[in-house]
Amino acid sequence: MINPELIMHEVTLENIKQTLLDWYDVDTHHYITVNAIDNGENLTFDWIFSEYEVKNVIHVFRAENIAYKSNIPSMMDVYPGAWVSEWDLADMFNLNMENAHRGMFLEPEAPTGPLLKESYSGK
Amino acid sequence: MVKMFIESLKNLTTKPVTIGYPHTPSPSPKDYRGTIYYQEDLCIFCDLCEDVCPPGAILFEVTNFEENIREYSYNPYLCIYCHACVDVCPKADEGCLVQAETRLKPLGREETLPKDIKLGYFMDRVTTPKHLDSQWDEFEDRCEESREGHDEFKAEKKRKKKEEMAAKKKLEAEVKAKEDAALENDVSKSENNPEEKVDETAKDKPKE
Amino acid sequence: MGNKITVTFGSQHIAIPEPVSFVFETENEMITKVDVDVGYVHRGIEQAAVTKFKFNNVQFLLARVCGFCSITHAGAYIHGVEKLLGVETNKRIDYLRLIVTELDRMHSHLLANGHVAEVCGYENLFMQSVKYRENATEILEAITGNRVQYDYYQIGGVSRDLSAEHIEMIDVKLKELRVNVLKLRDFFDTDYTFGLKTKGVGTVTYEMAKAYNTAGSIARASGLRMDARNEFDFLPYEEVGYKLQTRTEGDVWARCMVRFDEVINSIDMCLYAVNNLPEGEIKVKSKGKPKGETFIRVEAPRGECFYYIKGNGTKIMERVRIRVPTYANIPVLRELFVGSQYSDAQAIVLSFDPCLSCTAR
Amino acid sequence: MNDLRAKSPWITHYNTGGCNGCDIEILAALGPKFDIERFGMLNRGNPKQSDILLVTGPVTLRCRDVLRRVWLEMPEPKVVVAMGSCTHGGGVFRHLYHTENGIDGIVPVDVWIPGCTPRIEAIIDGLIEGVEIWKNKTKEKEYMVGHSEKLLEKIGVLND
Amino acid sequence: MEALIVLSIVLPLILGAIIVFAKNDILTSLLTWMMLPVMSILAFMIYAADLPIYVDTPHVLHWIITLFDFGLLAYFLYLGAKRKSMLVSVLSLVQFILLVTVIWVLPESSTANIYVDKLTAMMYLLVAIVGVPIAIYSIKYMDFDEKDKHLFVGLVVAFLGVMNFAVSANNIEWFFAVFETTTLFSVIFIGFRGDKEAVDNSTLALWMNQIGGVAILLALLIMIKDFGVYHFTDLLIIDKETMSMAAFGFLSLAALIKGAQLPFHKWLLGAMVAPTPVSAILHSATMVKIAPFLLLRISPIIEGTLLAKLLILTTGFVFVAAAIFALTQDNLKRILAYSTISLLGLMMLAASVGTPTAVAVSIMLIIFHGFAKGFLFIEAGVLEKVFKIKYLQEMNMLLEKAPLTLLFIFFAFLNMTFIPFGVFVGKWLMIEEASGLLSQGSSVLLIALVAIGGVFLSVLYMKVLGVTIKHHRFTDIQVQKQPKTFLFVAIWFYLWLLALTIFIAPFAGDFVAQISNSLTGETTPIHADGLSLVVGESTLYFWQILGALLLLAFIHIAPLKFKFKNVDQMHPYNCGEVYTRQAGTYDFLFLKKYEGIANMIAITLFMLVVVLGGQLL
Amino acid sequence: MMGLLLTLFSPIIGGFIYGVERVVKARMQSRQGPPVLQPFYDFVKLMQKRPMMVHSFHASMGIMYFISTWFAMAVLMMGNDLLIAIFFHVISVLALTIGAFSVRSSYSIMGAMRELMHVVSYEPVVILLAVSLYLVTGSFDIAKILTSDITPIFSLPLVFISFLGVMPMLLHKSPFDIAEAHQEIVGGPDIEYSGPFYEAVYTARWIEYVYVYFIVFLFGGSNYFLGTFLVVFSFIFINAVDNSTARLDYKKMLKFAWFILIPLSMLNIFFVVVGAN
Ligand code: SF4
Ligand code: SF4
Ligand code: SF4
Ligand code: SF4
Ligand code: SF4
Ligand code: SF4
Ligand code: SF4
Ligand code: SF4
């Protein structure tokens, strides 16, 4: 059984960028992805990192209770490769993501925000 | 470059590694995940396979509501040969659902339509390979309807049965009551109770 | 205008079997601008995993996120579910899983390298790669029942056991494969024209690799010591002799070479695992429904595959998030084109071994 | 003549969003062990010079029009060989929000190859089956008599 | 006959003057149109006469010309001062001093100052048949929003006279005078539009050509000092063995500059700012053709010397380099200019080789290049004025926009390189000749240069043709209306080229070979066998000529005429996508960085020509 | 007479060569490969396809490519001047490139430009070859070359080697299949042809095989046995090279042709000249 050692950092949308700018070290930290979870009323955001050559450690920067229409900051200033995951999330959750180009994955005729609970739970 | 040059010349003089399929056979290895076969007589109609099948390649259509006869349908062209149905089938060991090592022929000209009774429940109904896909769509709808219909039918039947039972009971009760009345002259004791019970059951059952 | 030629590369193009489109703007064949569309394969798997499918058959769907690493996708998910269910697998299961995962890596790497050779116009090298790769796929077919979609992982175990004949066959074929891969590696290594076409082309420097958080053989070819097998204990890699392979050149050629080195390492690991297979059941009983969340990293052939799984105690999962290696490598890929020749673009793309079907899901 | 023709089917392959599994096998089928060039088959990659359109995948929304265009660009006589369960009703991707549930509604299919992933032997069987059908086809365009230009324009083949 | 010769020199001058001063449209047209038959007949009559002819001139003419020289130099000095160009002023002063010295030491000579041989007569013909239609063309051309129409046409007409004069001058001092006059004309033409760019370019042309003038004067001085003669015909009879080559070194230098060889090609490129007929006339029949003409005049003398070898090297190098750099250009006229520079290189190369066949090649190239280039520039002018197309990338879809012009351009370009047209025959003969020389131990480099340069030119033309035809759509082609004059001139050139090509064997075997015979005094191994061309042991059969003509005719007429019926039309393969995309061409701009190196090499070669070839050391 | 027959049958001979080549190529890749007559099956197939074109001009250029290649073949077989035959080949290249340029497809246009780069690379070498043959046999006349008592291969080994170097360019074989480059520009100039029109281009390529191998044959001089041997040798060699090299880009091709092959040829000619004097 896998046993990841989770290191949780509580952040908010306002301070996430600054926190990451301070914390993220290109030599030791590896950005994995950003994730969003729909809790039914609001979203949870996770920015997920690992460390090079350190076993089983996963850093998670978790911002909770995000309203659906909040403006999400882009992390492209911190690590330039962030755009794929951010644009992807913007499409999938119909987010107001900074700098995001919509339609990277979704065609116009597809449902908007397919990963939102309201989109698939039939309401 | 030079090494490859020599290798090329060497290959030119040696025999190619190409196998001769289809002129020479190339059998599947043991336990190859091929077509799913089904034995109706062994099936207990538990619907577990239909439930687990990822693409929905197994469907049961209720063909006879009265006797609750369900017909197994399998679409080998939709099946992803994942083996999940066989894993889940309680009667798999007896051979109710088996994954064969052989695979199906591709579906092209009409002559090549597979006619194997055991697997081709769905295919048998198809006359032309074109529109097979849309037919499966219709079929899915029909199965869905049949299931719903069956559920309704079942509920209806149950209700009717209950009603009958109730009526019967009532009758019996009446008779009994008459008898009793005749015997004891106590009429007002048990008149409404059975009817309420029927109502409750009728409400509950279809919801399941 | 005038001297600019816009070349579309995809979505239907002979060099990339997958639908992906690059729109290059070239001047004298030199690329000056590039647009990438990676969304052709988007099918909506993340949604399907939390709606249509129950937690015990999601792995079949996830295996079909991508054919090359069907085993890793299903594997990552099942590792996660097992964690949520609290299932402890035994050594034999781990070893069996490891064998199939590494065999998958071998065939994937060999095909990827062969494909690089093919788009470099080196048809024979492609043919030789595919020829030798057959050994790996034959083994896989024999032990899992399919050449590509193994469906081998199951919750709490694996679907089939290895028999004695299997072990014998694997041993013979892998030893043969090892010889052949070394030969093939030698071809790639020493070939002059292939070197002309690939050395110094599409170079990802160590700094770039770090800055863009690349994964897999792309990162390792640039000297970034980055391998989920090294950083995450999802399978007992250390026991079977895993070694991290890196190079420093970072170009197309180095990526091929890293893949060959990994194939050889994988063969060694498999040989060890097959010959030292622990005894035990191949399936552990599991009960209950997954509840809670977990993060999983596994090393797919193309690099790190990351899963986030959240269950809510019902049959349906709450959230499945997939981050795949190509997804991490697309940003750096896009940066590489500007300034390189159009005739090298195919080799660069294919040396990344892009998997759009998992990128777009 | 048709028998001679049947010895030279050229292939265009298009993946409409499958898992690559099928495509890997197509590559392997080109390889030395199976070598479909024995039957005169070449992977041309260019629909204008091909006779068999080998499609894999469940047809995602974005691939749909591309598939149509590729098919339209192939001159008659031509056949479409659909490979894998994805192409038939979408396979495991059936009824996802971004797929078209297989290629049947998009282009007319002549041969279905079952399997996920089909064995290479099945690919060969399917292609041979396709060739048998192709042999009896003619140059005629049975579809869209009389309104070709318009239809082409609508689909976006007459782009520019 | 003398009168005819004088007439053909003077008539254009007079007519030009009338046109300039009369400023009357009808008169202009009338006179210019009239010149076509008159000049042609004159030239034919002179050619048919018993050549060579020496025309004696009154002594006073000599003084007039000398005076004119000084006037010219004074004007140049004035221009230099006005345009604040030190170079021009200094060069004018140098020329002034040299000219005074020359006149000081000039011995008496009884040789006639005007000498007309077959070569000269051929140049007359070229001027009449190629130059006059261009003058006609320029009447219409100037109607398109240009000013000073009459002045322009008058100058063009007069320029033809100057050119005729230049090719008939025997006295090198006179030749210097005409040489400078052509410079003057080119300066006026280039600066015609009067804007800054035009003036700058004309100044450039001025000082570059003045260097040529200086070179001629130096040559003249040395000649007078060494041999005491200053007539071309006198030079030919001096014993070759003992001769010093210094004078010829300088003469060749003048030729190289006039022929706009690298690195002096800038002036010809700068000439592009002038109205297009200027380019047409400069490139086809006049001006630059003085360069190979001059070399042809002295080729019997320099044949086989080190000077000739160095010239071969230089011009061969230019032939290749200019063809390569032409690939980097995107302006049609500049491409044509580069190709002229390149082909001039080949002509001069052939002239320097100096064997009968090589001389024939040079003549052949002068003629066919004149026709084709005149044609091309005319069509470039049509494109510019009627269709507003100047750059290569705008030439896309010419087939829809200007089908007829495309047809003409296509044909002219085919003429520039493909079998069986004249330029090709020249190239082919050159290779044959060079191969012959090879076995006698001459340079392997010569052959390689000819082969390589020819290939580059072919590729250049194919590229340009490709671009003109590019992006054709499905639409039907409608032939657009063009001014009748343009059409006439185009058809005139077309028919001449066609006729000359079909009868290339007699033309080369009789006409060209005769000129070459007369120049070299040996028999040229080219003759016509029926309509097949026989060169030594090789034959260009008539069926090959005809076959190639038919193939090419089909290729260039096909776009207009040929239609497939009942065939499906489909858009190009675009990976199944519908992106609109640009499709330009390669511009090979990365080659530009080698241009400096090429110029350096060319300068070195120039030095070598003058210093080593002229045996100055 | 022989020349006429050879010309008439050159498509068939070429098709046969191509068929053998495909088998040899497959065998070199340890595959079984298609039947030898495969090119003719392809021919029949293409003829039976529904004709489809981009526009008439493009389609007619495909046919012109075929005709002019065949004509060049006729000139080579029946004319007497090798040089002229070489220049006729340029006409066919013209038809091909003009056709390729005329369509609105960047692949096609890139293919055409690359085709021109091919010409720049091989043409000087081929001309030098003709010149060197002239040098040793004293004639450009093919009939004379084939009857001269000198065997050119012995005095022109370097020229032969450099011709081996340009053969991949002429025949579009790896490492110089740059204009065709299937994985980059999907066939380059041929891409837009389909059905019968593609068949014209396809067949023209066969004629080019005969054209090129005939030039190889000339190296045998009057020793036809040696000539045949050279043809077979170069055939195997070219195919082995095709199968053991990656495709280079056009700049590398130019450099190879210009800085290696041309000097090589010139060196050989130089030696011959020096040796003769
Ligand atoms: S093998 Fe899988 S897809 Fe096929 S019927 Fe069984 S469960 Fe369904
Ligand atoms: S799981 Fe087995 S027993 Fe149950 S319905 Fe399916 S086939 Fe029948
Ligand atoms: S050989 Fe490779 S590039 Fe070519 S079509 Fe096949 S998979 Fe695609
Ligand atoms: S990158 Fe993704 S899709 Fe590709 S092989 Fe790896 S896990 Fe599979
Ligand atoms: S990377 Fe490609 S091959 Fe691998 S899983 Fe993804 S789509 Fe499939
Ligand atoms: S089969 Fe599918 S995944 Fe494989 S290369 Fe072709 S399109 Fe891509
Ligand atoms: S049929 Fe199966 S293997 Fe083939 S593409 Fe679809 S999911 Fe992949
Ligand atoms: S490049 Fe194209 S034509 Fe050439 S061998 Fe490869 S697939 Fe065939």
Side-chain angles (χ1 to χ4, degrees), chain C residues 66 68-69 72-73 300-302 305 324-326 355 357-358:
Chain C
C66 159
F68 270 114
C69 19
T72 24
H73 280 291
R302 276 142 195 79
C305 192
V324 290
T326 308
C355 278
S357 60
C358 53

Side-chain angles (χ1 to χ4, degrees), chain C residues 1-14 21 23 25 28-29 37 40, chain E residues 393 396 470-471 573-577 579-590:
Chain C
M1 210 215 131
N3 52 11
K4 290 214 167 34
I5 302 184
T6 316
V7 200
T8 49
F9 176 50
S11 63
Q12 193 271 321
H13 191 284
I14 184 165
S21 95
V23 181
E25 203 167 81
N28 294 318
E29 299 215 353
D37 183 351
Y40 282 89
Chain E
Q393 61 260 34
N396 291 342
K470 204 164 69 183
H471 284 194
Y573 171 70
N574 201 353
C575 295
E577 299 294 346
Y579 306 125
T580 50
R581 45 184 181 182
Q582 319 168 358
T585 25
Y586 296 0
D587 55 9
F588 301 103
L589 276 180
F590 55 89

Side-chain angles (χ1 to χ4, degrees), chain E residues 228-243:
Chain E
V229 295
Y230 55 97
H231 286 81
F232 284 122
T233 43
D234 290 344
L235 289 171
L236 290 179
I237 47 178
I238 299 174
D239 184 14
K240 248 175 87 173
E241 300 302 304
T242 60
M243 213 162 176

Side-chain angles (χ1 to χ4, degrees), chain B residues 80, chain C residues 64 67 148-149, chain D residues 18-23 56-58 83-87 92-93 115-118:
Chain B
I80 59 169
Chain C
R64 281 146 186 92
V148 178
Q149 289 295 356
Chain D
C19 77
N20 283 355
C22 289
D23 315 62
T56 61
M83 174 181 174
S85 28
C86 284
T87 50
V92 76
F93 309 117
C116 178
T117 314

Side-chain angles (χ1 to χ4, degrees), chain D residues 45-84:
Chain D
N46 178 354
K48 296 197 162 184
Q49 296 163 2
S50 303
D51 315 295
I52 297 183
L53 179 58
L54 186 52
V55 188
T56 61
V59 189
T60 60
L61 294 187
R62 199 169 292 183
C63 286
R64 180 187 51 204
D65 288 348
V66 179
L67 176 62
R68 279 195 187 129
R69 278 182 220 114
V70 168
W71 179 74
L72 277 172
E73 277 178 14
M74 284 173 65
E76 277 73 18
K78 61 187 169 193
V79 287
V80 178
V81 176
M83 174 181 174

